[in-house]
């Protein structure tokens, strides 16, 4: 076969792909060579010397991990010479090892245990005093035990090569080499947990589950992470219905075994003590726990009453895009068919709908690029400077493309290209970074389009001068970037929340689609467009009909269905009398909307939740739902990959999966569903999908593009939506302000995860140190932020990633700040935009602090 | 005492010679570079060096011209030459003398080598402790730039070369060529796994030649006087002269430039003046701390690459360390192991763990706490290190142990049986302890 070579391994003739390392070739011959430093994700380092083999005609033994198999090679690992050498290395490794397996969390899954079992005599011959490293505290999440370390440097290499975080190094030299930070400080990194997972021994383990288990006691369930749209496979490791630990298997899933802080350390919200374990009802102003029967009857009776009195359109439903496909499908079926209302919406409305609608209207599908395309692209055009925070695993694919495979990355965003120590940042590794004024990505897109689409089939475009004035990006840079993108062999375009969750989002995605068409980067192998999803099932929510404009299968719904914001407005006006909200929390997400006041007009508010959220607190009925760990189903990630979610533990307390609650409610409403499990729902879903779903053929995409190009299109020129600051504050300094996502959290859910809370558990406003310095700010100092409406106080934190003249505020804690930011609604998709604005920052006056000092 | 023509030390032994560009010029300096640039092709230069039989003076003795010829000719992008001036092998101090006294001779050699391999950038990696050497080299580099022997379009030939001096930070391992490259790249000084070799994947993964200071310095002479002249000096495949650093209790320790192939007896008893206080010679380290010990019955071994190798050691870096009858061989081995243990970079298991383990055993024996099975342990551990490490360091650290056990087993046994070091009573050595 082409590209294959033949060699002899332990007397057996084998055939492997050209370029295969001997350590992998050995597996073909059924031999596992002992190893510590080798890992398929990393460049070989050949430092542990365990995988030594004899190669005919080479006098010295060679390391199999660093030797590429060659035609005709004769290799042996089963001869005494090799085995003695391996046993010798093992003797060196075990010499100083503490042999504390009984209390080591790695016990049972330790490569040293496994290989020592094969390669060491039963009696040790090390008769000297053992080396003992001083115990060093490595922070609240990672336990470091250097006496167990085999110095394979897998952790150091992973942290550099895969994560680009460089938080770990090897410190000191020779026999006292240890792993650590350069000045012996607790870790301050991305906390992806990769070092723990890649450590072959018990040198690095998780403090979050320290001494909680023996590896053979845990039950492992492969499922999909619930935090973002990347769609990572992970294993929930459980004992007696408690999630003890998360792990992932090398090469498995779309993430190929890589995880981020949220995935690795964010699991213990599942067994959180504040979980709702029984339904609750609000009876005469008092919240009380009731039986399911009671709660369901009450819900059914009141829904029926409202439907009879005001008609079905007085009822609306909103579902979280954290729910499974089956649940979202069933929910819209319940709302549309059983109750008969068109008002169905989901969390996809917060921005992903912009991408889903725009891309499917142009291409007929959103499935336009996969992670493999990113990894193999020669050029990546990214409108997601914060991807390492919002979609960390997708960012790993970009790092792999750029750092391992030499792809060019062009990043266009309002971030600084500087990076913070020990944290990766995509603009930092970009070959070309266009740092735009916040909110002006849309202008840059028009500029790029203007370069490539000479015929301006989209109508007149603004002049380069206007574009430069608005965005700060001149014609030369636009021409260069557009030229690189159009000239690429395999150009992949990535758009993130800066596009989808901000002003003019729908139009901007359409313009990006035009740009990709003009650059010739769709419809050919390896090129494409990927819209990042912030929640795990946003694409699923759209495809399952969980939005007002689509029935399942992206089939247009009858007009008249209200979107999320419209439902809130209708509630305020008294048109909608009842809302059924699954896992969404609009009271918190849309503080500008006075949601609380609107909901007080409702006759009935039903909420289905894990925790008593701000919205649940207002609800007449709260159904206690389950987390992803307690249910089966399917999520569709941002690439369009449909993946199985598997139940790892029984529902906590008396909670129930959402699909089951919908079924029970349908029963009570007199239209039983009869589904025994989620697979039965899925069968029905598949039957309801168009024949071309899920993947669309290249030909179908091309004809969709052709018909799109024939349609009359009009480019909407972006406008500056932030209203001018009223008055301003004397002594303050103007900043562009952005509320956004932190790597360590996802919405509110992650703030129930104790592991993540040890990293960040409080709000802070991030500022570039060079902006802070002239203001005389010190890190942690409380500053005053005057918003267009009102003001807040918050501590400042410094980050070199923040663009000069801008401030960043993570969205996961107090959201009081959003109340003061302007809210605009997308004219096409009704997406509410309320994350940006212009603010003034000022030091809290010296007089105040002096006064405080005097008091203290 | 036989006398020989000095080649490398000749200039500096002239009265009043300062090593300045003027002095070097008066001594015929840079004429070889001029000849190469005006009249020779890179291929001519490589052939000349090949024919001369010049072999690397850093330790391994690899034929220099052959090494140069491994550099791919059609490689797009930069190629590099790194001059290894990280002289750290205990008992070796020749490069230091060359650097401090005749820096331009090194620069000229580097320039010719760069022309031959097509490099436009060269680095001199100098041992961190060579403060004055670094200062002198930097001054010489500046002088050479001013005089047009470095920089753009040298002597109007179209050939350009920049030389940068890179100072090490004190790690012995950075003298190992791949660790040296890592160090120049700003990384931790750790050897790379080979293959690939520097000739194709060297500095910044570009084709690179790494040559020792003394090797470089021979080059202008070979160009000026021809490969036949050079090949006629020395013995067999070991051509030219070699500077040996003789240390220990001899009457005249120092650097001696002699043709390759004279005997150790001649070196120690003629050139170095014999043993101090006419004590008995007990052991010789023939080629730097990484070489296996010789005993007095090996005094007639010839000082060339092949003969020393045939006798079970190596010519190495040219550091000849002499020990007399008062030296405890266990102590000597322990002393060397303390050095190797301290300098092991820690990258690979056998060296990292083995150096500490071996040292622990040697320290016990020397302290009178040896056990009967310790000799067996020392030998078997050494064999587990030999040939198993990323670089040659592993072989180096076991050489003193295996050779002292081989030649002086009784001394080890005496330590163990008497539960003390038999040399402890000796006042001089007690101080050394």
């Amino acid at each position: 076969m082409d590209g294959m070579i033949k060699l002899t391994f332990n007397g057996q003739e084998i055939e492997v792909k050209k370029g295969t390392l001997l350590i992998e070739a050995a597996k073909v011959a059924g031999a596992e060579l002992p190893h510590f430093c080798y890992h398929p994700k990393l460049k070989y380092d050949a430092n542990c010397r365990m995988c030594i083999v004899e190669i005919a005609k080479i006098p010295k033994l060679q390391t199999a991990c660093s030797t590429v198999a060659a035609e005709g090679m004769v290799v042996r690992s089963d001869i005494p010479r090799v085995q003695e050498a391996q046993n010798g290395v093992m003797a060196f490794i075990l010499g100083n090892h503490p042999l504390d397996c009984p209390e080591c969390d790695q016990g049972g899954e330790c490569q040293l245990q496994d290989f020592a079992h094969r390669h060491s005599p039963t009696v040790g011959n090390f008769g000297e005093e053992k080396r003992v490293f001083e115990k060093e505290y490595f922070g609240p999440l990672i336990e470091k035990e250097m006496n167990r370390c085999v110095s394979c440097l897998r952790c150091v290499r992973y942290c550099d090569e895969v994560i680009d975080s460089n938080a770990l190094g090897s410190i000191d030299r020779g026999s006292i080499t240890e792993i650590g930070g350069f000045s012996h400080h607790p870790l301050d990194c991305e906390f992806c947990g990769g070092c723990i997972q890649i450590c072959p021994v018990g040198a690095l383990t998780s403090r979050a589950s320290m001494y909680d288990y023996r590896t053979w006691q845990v039950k492992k369930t492969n499922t999909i992470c619930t935090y973002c749209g990347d769609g990572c496979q992970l294993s929930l490791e459980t004992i007696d219905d408690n999630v003890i630990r998360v792990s992932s298997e090398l090469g498995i899933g779309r993430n190929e075994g890589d995880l981020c802080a949220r995935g690795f350390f964010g699991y213990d919200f599942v067994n959180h003590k504040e979980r709702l374990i029984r339904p609750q009802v609000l009876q005469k102003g008092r919240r009380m726990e009731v039986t399911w029967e009671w709660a369901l009857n009450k819900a059914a009776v009141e829904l029926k009453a409202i439907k009879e009195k005001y008609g079905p359109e007085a009822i609306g439903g909103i579902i979280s895009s954290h729910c499974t496909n089956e649940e979202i499908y069933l929910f819209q079926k319940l709302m549309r068919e059983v109750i008969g209302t068109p008002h169905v919406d989901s969390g996809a409305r917060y921005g992903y709908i912009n991408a889903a609608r725009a891309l499917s209207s142009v291409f007929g599908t959103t499935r336009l690029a996969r992670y493999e395309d990113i990894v193999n692209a020669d050029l990546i055009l990214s409108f997601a400077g914060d991807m390492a925070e919002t979609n960390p695993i997708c960012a790993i694919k970009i790092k792999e493309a750029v750092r391992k495979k030499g792809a060019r990355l062009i990043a266009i965003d309002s971030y600084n290209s500087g990076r913070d120590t020990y944290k990766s940042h995509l603009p930092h590794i970009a070959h070309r970074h266009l740092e735009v004024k916040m909110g002006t990505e849309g202008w840059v897109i028009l500029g790029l389009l203007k370069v490539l689409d000479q015929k301006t089939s989209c109508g007149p475009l603004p002049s380069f001068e206007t574009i430069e004035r608005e965005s700060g990006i001149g014609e030369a840079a636009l021409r260069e970037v557009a030229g690189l993108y159009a000239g690429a062999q395999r150009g992949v375009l990535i758009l993130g929340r800066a596009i989808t969750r901000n002003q003019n989002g729908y139009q901007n995605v359409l313009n990006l689609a035009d740009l990709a068409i003009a650059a010739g980067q769709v419809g050919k192998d390896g090129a494409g467009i990927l819209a990042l999803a912030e929640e795990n099932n946003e694409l699923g929510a759209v495809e399952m009909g969980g939005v007002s404009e689509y029935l399942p299968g992206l089939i247009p719904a009858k007009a008249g269905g209200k979107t999320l914001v419209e439902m809130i407005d209708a509630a305020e006006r008294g048109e909608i009398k009842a809302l059924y909200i699954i896992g969404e929390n609009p009271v918190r997400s849309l503080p500008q909307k006075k949601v609380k006041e609107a909901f007080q007009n409702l006759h009935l508010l039903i909420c289905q939740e894990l925790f008593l959220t701000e919205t649940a607190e207002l609800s007449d009925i709260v159904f206690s739902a389950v987390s992803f760990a307690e249910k089966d189903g399917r999520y569709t990630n941002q690439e369009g990959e449909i993946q199985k979610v598997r139940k790892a533990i029984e529902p906590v307390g008396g909670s129930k999966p959402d699909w089951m609650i919908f079924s029970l409610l349908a029963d009570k409403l007199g239209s039983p569903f009869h589904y025994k499990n989620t697979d039965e729902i899925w069968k029905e879903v598949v039957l309801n999908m168009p024949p071309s779903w899920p993947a669309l053929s290249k030909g179908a995409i091309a004809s969709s593009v052709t018909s799109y190009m024939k349609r009359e299109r009009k480019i909407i020129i972006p406008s500056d939506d932030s209203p001018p600051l009223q008055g301003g504050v004397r002594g303050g300094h103007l900043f562009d302000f952005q509320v956004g996502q932190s790597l360590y959290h996802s919405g509110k859910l992650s703030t129930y995860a104790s592991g993540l809370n040890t990293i960040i558990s409080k709000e802070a406003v991030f500022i570039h140190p060079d902006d802070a310095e002239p203001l005389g700010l010190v890190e942690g100092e409380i500053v005053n932020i005057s918003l267009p409406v009102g003001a807040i106080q918050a501590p400042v934190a410094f980050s070199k990633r923040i663009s000069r003249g801008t401030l960043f505020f993570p969205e996961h804690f107090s959201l009081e700040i959003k109340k003061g930011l302007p809210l605009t609604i997308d004219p096409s998709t009704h997406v509410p935009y309320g994350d940006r604005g212009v603010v003034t920052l000022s030091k809290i006056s010296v007089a105040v602090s002096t006064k405080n000092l005097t008091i203290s | 005492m036989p006398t020989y023509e000095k080649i490398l030390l000749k200039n500096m032994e002239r009265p009043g010679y300062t090593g300045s560009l003027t002095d070097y010029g008066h001594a015929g300096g840079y004429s070889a570079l001029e000849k190469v640039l005006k009249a020779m092709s890179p291929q001519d230069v490589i052939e000349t060096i090949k024919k001369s039989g010049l072999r690397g003076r850093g330790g391994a003795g690899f034929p220099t011209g052959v090494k140069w010829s491994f550099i791919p000719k059609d490689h797009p992008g930069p190629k590099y030459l790194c001059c290894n001036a990280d002289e750290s092998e205990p008992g070796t101090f020749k490069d230091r003398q060359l650097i401090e006294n005749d820096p331009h001779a090194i620069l000229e050699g580097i320039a010719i080598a760069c022309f031959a391999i097509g490099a436009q950038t060269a680095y001199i990696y100098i041992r961190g402790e060579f403060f004055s050497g670094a200062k002198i080299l930097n001054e010489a580099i500046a002088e050479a730039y001013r005089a047009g022997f470095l920089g753009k379009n040298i002597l109007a030939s179209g050939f350009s070369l920049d030389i940068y001096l890179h100072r090490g930070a004190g790690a012995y391992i950075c003298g190992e060529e791949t660790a040296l490259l890592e160090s120049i790249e700003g990384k931790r000084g750790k050897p790379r796994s080979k293959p690939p070799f520097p000739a194709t994947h060297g500095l910044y993964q570009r084709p690179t030649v790494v040559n020792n200071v003394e090797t470089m310095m021979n080059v202008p002479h070979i160009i000026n006087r021809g490969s036949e002249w050079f090949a006629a000096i020395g013995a067999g495949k070991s051509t030219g002269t070699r500077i040996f650093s003789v240390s220990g209790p001899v009457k005249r320790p120092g650097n001696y430039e002699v043709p390759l192939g004279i005997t150790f007896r001649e070196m120690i008893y003629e050139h170095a003046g014999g043993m101090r206080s006419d004590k008995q010679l007990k052991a010789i380290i023939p080629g730097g701390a990484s070489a296996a010990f010789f005993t007095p019955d090996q005094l007639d071994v010839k000082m060339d690459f092949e003969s020393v190798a045939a006798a079970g050691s190596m010519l190495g870096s040219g550091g000849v360390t002499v020990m007399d009858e008062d030296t405890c061989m266990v102590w000597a081995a322990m002393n060397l192991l303390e050095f190797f243990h301290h300098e092991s970079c820690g990258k690979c298991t056998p060296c990292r763990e083995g150096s500490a383990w071996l040292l622990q055993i040697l320290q016990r024996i020397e302290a009178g706490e040896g056990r009967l099975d310790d000799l067996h342990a020392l030998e078997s551990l050494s064999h587990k290190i030999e040939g198993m490490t990323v670089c040659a360091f592993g072989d180096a650290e076991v050489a003193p142990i295996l050779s002292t056990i081989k030649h002086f087993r009784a001394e080890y046994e005496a330590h163990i049986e008497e539960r003390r070091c038999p040399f402890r009573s000796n006042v001089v050595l007690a101080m050394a302890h």
Side-chain angles (χ1 to χ4, degrees), chain A residues 300 511 751 825:
Chain A
N511 296 350
T751 63
I825 308 294

Side-chain angles (χ1 to χ4, degrees), chain A residues 49 128 170 172-173 175, chain B residues 188 341-342 348 360 364 388:
Chain A
R49 316 307 283 176
E128 315 305 315
S170 76
D172 225 312
R173 192 168 73 178
S175 62
Chain B
R188 281 176 72 93
H341 170 247
H342 182 250
C348 66
Q360 280 174 299
R364 256 195 311 100
M388 288 291 289

